[in-house]
Amino acid sequence: LVATAVDPAVEEGEAVREVSSSDQPMAVPRKAQSARAQTGTATSGVAHASRNPTPPSFSRASNRKLVRNALAHVCLAGGARVKEKEAALAAIDAYKGDDSFIVLFKGSSAPLHFKGLYLHPRDGGPVARLYGKGPDSVDPQRVATYFKYDSGAREFRAMQTTTFNFGTTCGIAQS
């Protein structure tokens, strides 16, 4: 047990003397004293009930920021595509849901050419076009390769999957 000796005349910021069970005084700043009281640490010998932390919610977040970065830094980068980039980013900003976004590319050889921005609903509905010149919807069977965007390396990496899932950021449509 640790007992705290508090002198009402002690001003904030000055040391407060604590006496432990070994009778050796310890100097603890008053601010640390008040922090202990707020966190529920027992300093007066009375055991406080421990806080029950609420478990984190594991809801699937949208990949909005990741796709915005992919469009701005890779897919539509450069001065020649500024208007198209601004229009695609405006389409992402205009959509207020928490569904995932998919970027569709044309052709399977480098460099990858942007074809359109698509919306992948959370409920697993059809992947529908949000912006671009691609088809109105994308059937997963018509996608040749699936990719995931690596924001650190600013590149797309191929994925071993046969359908759109949460980690999928884009795909290459079959001709």
Side-chain angles (χ1 to χ4, degrees):
L1 293 177
V2 176
T4 305
V6 179
D7 184 3
V10 175
E11 293 182 16
E12 187 171 323
E14 292 183 6
V16 176
R17 191 173 72 94
E18 286 192 9
V19 180
S20 66
S21 60
S22 63
D23 293 332
Q24 295 177 353
M26 300 181 302
V28 178
R30 183 176 273 284
K31 288 182 181 178
Q33 166 90 18
S34 62
R36 283 186 186 173
Q38 290 175 358
T39 59
T41 305
T43 58
S44 63
V46 178
H48 296 283
S50 63
R51 296 185 308 172
N52 293 332
T54 55
S57 62
F58 294 105
S59 64
R60 187 183 87 181
S62 175
N63 64 349
R64 179 183 308 265
K65 288 182 183 179
L66 192 66
V67 171
R68 281 184 59 84
N69 287 338
L71 290 172
H73 299 295
V74 178
C75 303
L76 301 173
R81 304 186 92 180
V82 170
K83 288 183 181 178
E84 189 175 10
K85 175 176 68 175
E86 289 174 355
L89 295 177
I92 289 176
D93 293 339
Y95 184 77
K96 299 298 180 196
D98 62 349
D99 298 325
S100 293
F101 296 93
I102 304 289
V103 177
L104 189 67
F105 290 119
K106 174 175 68 173
S108 59
S109 62
L112 301 172
H113 297 284
F114 176 77
K115 197 168 186 178
L117 177 65
Y118 290 78
L119 187 64
H120 184 235
R122 184 182 284 256
D123 62 4
V127 178
R129 184 179 67 206
L130 190 62
Y131 172 81
K133 299 176 183 173
D136 291 335
S137 65
V138 176
D139 186 24
Q141 287 77 25
R142 302 234 344 117
V143 175
T145 309
Y146 293 88
F147 290 95
K148 180 178 185 176
Y149 181 65
D150 181 0
S151 60
R154 291 188 178 175
E155 67 182 14
F156 291 97
R157 298 184 186 218
M159 294 179 65
Q160 300 297 322
T161 186
T162 57
T163 186
F164 292 111
N165 57 31
F166 178 63
T168 307
T169 316
C170 65
I172 295 179
Q174 294 176 346
S175 300

